[in-house]
Amino acid sequence: MSDCWSSYSCLSDEGFKHLTVNHSVTFVDPDTGAHTNAIKGTWSALKRSLHGTNHVTGEFDAYMAKYIWRRQNNYRITEKVQRFFGAISRAFPLPNKD
């Protein structure tokens, strides 16, 4: 979901289901229910989490991944550790012994 900025118009051509909302008319598309509130809130929270910390230029992807992981794993520490190692094992599976 996005606003009607022309640079986003190619997303459907790339295979994405792309819903738009025209903010000059409304904040929620009355036909599709599309809105940008969730993504704007997420970006705002991500930017707040970076405020006042030392940043390494070019590492935004890592900061964003860390933010998403923490947001999705807001459980007790033991569950967080288990989910962390599960995520690592899925991202870096052991090679076959064949």
Side-chain angles (χ1 to χ4, degrees):
M1 290 184 222
S2 70
D3 56 21
C4 293
W5 190 38
S6 62
S7 293
Y8 297 142
S9 63
C10 66
L11 291 175
S12 296
D13 299 338
E14 298 295 325
F16 293 97
K17 181 178 179 183
H18 183 222
L19 301 176
T20 60
V21 58
N22 186 342
H23 286 144
S24 64
V25 176
T26 185
F27 288 101
V28 178
D29 185 280
D31 297 326
T32 64
H35 61 83
T36 58
N37 294 346
I39 190 62
K40 286 185 178 198
T42 299
W43 276 116
S44 176
L46 175 60
K47 288 188 279 185
R48 278 193 312 273
S49 76
L50 296 175
H51 183 70
T53 62
N54 273 334
H55 306 325
V56 177
T57 303
E59 292 295 318
F60 182 75
D61 291 352
Y63 294 128
M64 186 167 60
K66 179 180 174 182
Y67 170 81
I68 291 169
W69 190 86
R70 284 184 172 178
R71 186 171 175 183
Q72 290 176 342
N73 295 284
N74 194 17
Y75 304 108
R76 295 178 306 159
I77 188 65
T78 55
E79 291 173 347
K80 284 183 182 180
V81 171
Q82 289 173 350
R83 291 176 67 101
F84 174 74
F85 285 117
I88 288 176
S89 66
R90 286 187 299 278
F92 302 100
L94 295 174
N96 291 334
K97 294 182 180 182
D98 297 339

